Amino acid sequence: MNYEDFEQMAMHSLAEIMERFHNKNKEYASNEDVFSNFRKAAGGLSYHCREEQVAWEYVVKHLQSLKDMIASNNPCSPETIDEKIGDVIAYMLLIKGMLYKRTNYNPTYPNFDTTFNSDVLDKLVYTLTSEE
């Protein structure tokens, strides 16, 4: 894979992850508390006592699945690959947010519209490349 093809694949993957965050937030969280399901699980159903520990278990589940896919050396469907890799990235970003929250760290980022639409990725790419 050449760099241009890799860059296109990576940017498409990031856009899919952001779309998944947007859609899943409606199902598993709220605009006021994106970590609510993790917090609730940590206080009840899970054996873990902190939300980031619950999220870590989800990461481990997907990493184990990826490890099995790699070890088998069998072809995998693109949908399965996208799901597993995308979910690991998504959970890691959630954990990052949880750790920021725990340490009361509120970073500021360059302003751009974070509402997911077809222009978000272009704005993200422009913002990231203009900082270089």
Side-chain angles (χ1 to χ4, degrees):
M1 178 180 290
N2 64 38
Y3 182 78
E4 185 177 322
D5 291 342
F6 175 81
E7 188 175 61
Q8 290 296 315
M9 182 269 308
M11 298 309 288
H12 180 77
S13 296
L14 293 173
E16 285 180 332
I17 291 166
M18 292 309 300
E19 185 173 21
R20 188 176 306 125
F21 269 134
H22 177 74
N23 293 333
K24 293 291 186 175
N25 189 64
K26 295 174 190 173
E27 183 178 352
Y28 294 111
S30 69
N31 288 337
E32 293 77 35
D33 184 3
V34 296
F35 310 132
S36 64
N37 262 20
F38 296 99
R39 184 178 39 75
K40 290 174 187 173
L45 292 175
S46 176
Y47 289 111
H48 301 292
C49 60
R50 292 196 321 263
E51 58 195 20
E52 59 267 32
Q53 292 172 324
V54 174
W56 179 252
E57 284 303 313
Y58 293 154
V59 171
V60 170
K61 176 185 78 130
H62 288 291
L63 288 174
Q64 183 61 55
S65 180
L66 283 166
K67 182 179 177 184
D68 292 344
M69 289 167 53
I70 292 166
S72 76
N73 203 29
N74 292 327
C76 306
S77 75
E79 296 81 14
T80 301
I81 295 166
D82 290 347
E83 175 194 344
K84 300 301 177 188
I85 299 289
D87 284 352
V88 167
I89 294 168
Y91 285 122
M92 294 304 290
L93 289 171
L94 285 165
I95 291 169
K96 180 179 182 176
M98 292 170 188
L99 294 173
Y100 277 6
K101 183 181 99 175
R102 185 172 58 170
T103 58
N104 295 316
Y105 177 61
N106 297 308
T108 57
Y109 300 103
N111 285 334
F112 60 89
D113 182 10
T114 57
T115 306
F116 188 82
N117 59 47
S118 61
D119 296 329
V120 169
L121 191 55
D122 290 337
K123 291 175 186 178
L124 176 62
V125 170
Y126 173 78
T127 301
L128 294 174
T129 56
S130 66
E131 291 177 353
E132 295 176 351

